[in-house]
Amino acid sequence: MSKKLAGRKVAVIGGTQFIGRAIVEILLEEGASVILINRCKTKLPSSFVQNDTGRVKVLRCDRFRQRQRFREILKRISPVDVVDMLAFNKSAIEDVVYGLKENRKYGCRYVFISTDSVFMASAREEISLQSRPHGLKEADTVLPTREQRKMLRKRNRYQYNYGKGKFDCEEFLLSEHNKNGFIFTTLRLPDVMGPNDNIGSFLELQIRLLKGKRIKAKTSSQNNTISLVYAPDVAKAVLSILAVNDGFLVDSETFHVSMDEKMSFAELTLAMAKTLSISKPNLDMNKENDLVTVDCGAIDNSKIKTVLDFKPTTLHEALKATCEWYQNPENVKHTEELAESSSSTSSSSSSSSSSSSSSSSSSCSSDSDT
C-alpha cells in the first residue's frame, strides 16, 4: 500500500511530547521526512528512531527568544509543510508568515494547533444566545467589546489570556490568507487525553479513583457539558489535512477535533471508574472540579467529520488506552516529571528531560546546519 506522505517534507514545531509526538509518529509511518524545530530539551522518543531511516532531523531554536533565527530556519527549509504546536500569540504567527513566504508557490500548508479556549476570550452574550445542541461551532467565536473583555478576564484570567493569544493567531492567519494567499488550516482542540501525557490531569484523576479519594465533580459550564480529544486522533486529523487531494476543502478553514461524546465531568469520572472496575467512586457534586479548563460548553465536531470523513475514537476506547498506559510505573514517572517541569516554566510545555545525546536519540543541529 502506498504511503500518504511519501516524499513529503514536514516541519513540526515542538514535536517530542504528547500530541506532537503522536503527530510525528504518524508522519513517519506515512513516509514523510520530518524536521523538528524545538529547544532540544527532550530526548527523542525511541519510536522516532525506529521509524527514522534518516528521515528525522532536529534543529535547535527557541522561537520565542530567537525570533530572527527562527524566521531564517523557516526560510531555508522552505518549501515545506509545517505543523505548529507552539504559537501562542500574534507575533509567533508573524514570524511563521515571514519565514514561509515561498510556501504559497508550492501549495505547502501550515497547520496551526489552536484550542477551544478561544471561546474563553469570545463574547459570552453572543455565544449563549445561540442554540447549539451539538456544541459550539467553529464560527461561534465573537470578538468581545472592551467591557466584555474585562468580564472575561475577571471570570478566568489565565484561560482568557491563553484563549485570546490563540484567537489573535487565528484572526491574523485569516487576514494573511485574505491579503496574501497564505495557505493554512486551524485545528481547535479541547482537553486532551492519551498515552505519553505530559500534563497529568487524567493521571491525577485515575490515582484519586484508585485510592478512593474524594473527587470534586461539579461542572459550571454551558449545558454542563465538556468535550475531549484523544491525542492520536489529533495526529490523524493532521494527516488528513496534509494528505487531502482538494486543498480548497481545508484552505483557511478551522476544524474542531474532538470525540463524539459530550459529557459532564461527573459522567467522565464515572466512565473512567467503570474502565478501572471501580463501582462506587467518591464524587462530591457540591465542589467545583479543577480538571476542566473551559466553562463554555462542548464543541461540535461535525464539520471535520463531514468534510474529511473523520472518525474519532470513542470515549471508551480512549479511556481504556489511557488507563492502561498509566498502569506502567515508568509511564507514570514520565508524566509526573514532564507535568512538574511544565508547571514550573512557561506555557510552551518545556521538558524535564536532558538534551544530551544518546544511542536512542538524534542529535540537535544549530540553525547554521540547515
Side-chain angles (χ1 to χ4, degrees), residues 41-307:
K41 297 291 186 180
T42 304
K43 188 175 77 172
L44 290 190
S46 59
S47 58
F48 291 14
V49 180
Q50 291 165 1
N51 286 299
D52 183 348
T53 63
R55 291 185 291 118
V56 177
K57 184 173 185 178
V58 189
L59 301 178
R60 179 188 289 130
C61 180
D62 185 332
R63 72 181 296 175
F64 306 108
R65 296 182 180 180
Q66 300 169 303
R67 291 182 61 189
Q68 188 57 39
R69 179 179 297 181
F70 177 67
R71 289 183 174 202
E72 292 301 320
I73 287 175
L74 291 180
K75 283 178 65 177
R76 280 200 290 271
I77 65 176
S78 295
V80 62
D81 294 306
V82 177
V83 182
D84 194 347
M85 313 295 301
L86 299 177
F88 301 110
N89 52 47
K90 178 183 172 182
S91 63
I93 300 297
E94 289 174 340
D95 295 340
V96 167
V97 171
Y98 178 88
L100 298 178
K101 286 181 180 178
E102 298 299 309
N103 260 11
R104 183 166 63 91
K105 297 178 183 178
Y106 301 92
C108 295
R109 179 163 288 102
Y110 172 72
V111 180
F112 172 57
I113 304 299
S114 190
T115 169
D116 65 350
S117 291
V118 295
F119 292 108
M120 299 293 285
S122 297
R124 286 303 177 93
E125 290 81 359
E126 297 296 329
I127 293 175
S128 62
L129 288 174
Q130 300 172 27
S131 175
R132 293 290 185 256
H134 301 294
L136 294 164
K137 293 183 177 294
E138 287 82 354
D140 286 342
T141 47
V142 180
L143 288 171
T145 64
R146 185 175 181 178
E147 287 302 312
Q148 288 170 332
R149 288 197 296 270
K150 291 179 181 179
M151 294 296 293
L152 290 167
R153 279 194 295 266
K154 184 177 180 181
R155 186 183 187 97
N156 188 322
R157 179 174 291 273
Y158 173 80
Q159 285 297 328
Y160 169 78
N161 289 334
Y162 176 54
K164 181 181 183 300
K166 289 288 192 176
F167 198 172
D168 290 345
C169 290
E170 292 185 13
E171 291 291 299
F172 186 72
L173 282 169
L174 187 58
S175 172
E176 283 299 311
H177 173 79
N178 292 335
K179 290 190 299 183
N180 302 312
F182 187 76
I183 301 173
F184 78 94
T185 304
T186 294
L187 298 180
R188 282 196 200 134
L189 315 181
D191 288 338
V192 187
M193 69 165 59
N196 302 304
D197 176 20
N198 66 347
I199 301 170
S201 298
F202 290 99
L203 171 61
E204 180 181 354
L205 179 59
Q206 180 166 328
I207 290 173
R208 295 189 72 85
L209 281 167
L210 290 170
K211 292 184 175 181
K213 292 186 175 182
R214 181 173 62 93
I215 297 171
K216 295 180 285 187
K218 182 180 177 182
T219 306
S220 292
S221 67
Q222 182 172 315
N223 301 324
N224 197 40
T225 58
I226 58 174
S227 289
L228 298 169
V229 67
Y230 184 48
D233 280 356
V234 182
K236 289 194 300 183
V238 169
L239 176 62
S240 295
I241 297 297
L242 294 179
V244 70
N245 290 322
D246 186 355
F248 289 106
L249 292 174
V250 298
D251 289 350
S252 73
E253 294 290 343
T254 297
F255 295 96
H256 287 166
V257 188
S258 71
M259 301 176 197
D260 286 334
E261 295 88 346
K262 277 80 174 164
M263 71 218 83
S264 68
F265 179 73
E267 290 169 336
L268 168 63
T269 305
L270 290 170
M272 180 177 276
K274 184 177 180 180
T275 301
L276 296 168
S277 300
I278 297 171
S279 58
K280 294 182 179 180
N282 186 5
L283 299 186
D284 185 343
M285 299 303 299
N286 296 314
K287 294 291 182 67
E288 188 77 21
N289 82 84
D290 50 10
L291 186 148
V292 178
T293 58
V294 298
D295 61 6
C296 52
I299 58 175
D300 186 335
N301 66 354
S302 60
K303 180 177 176 181
I304 193 169
K305 291 169 64 178
T306 300
V307 175

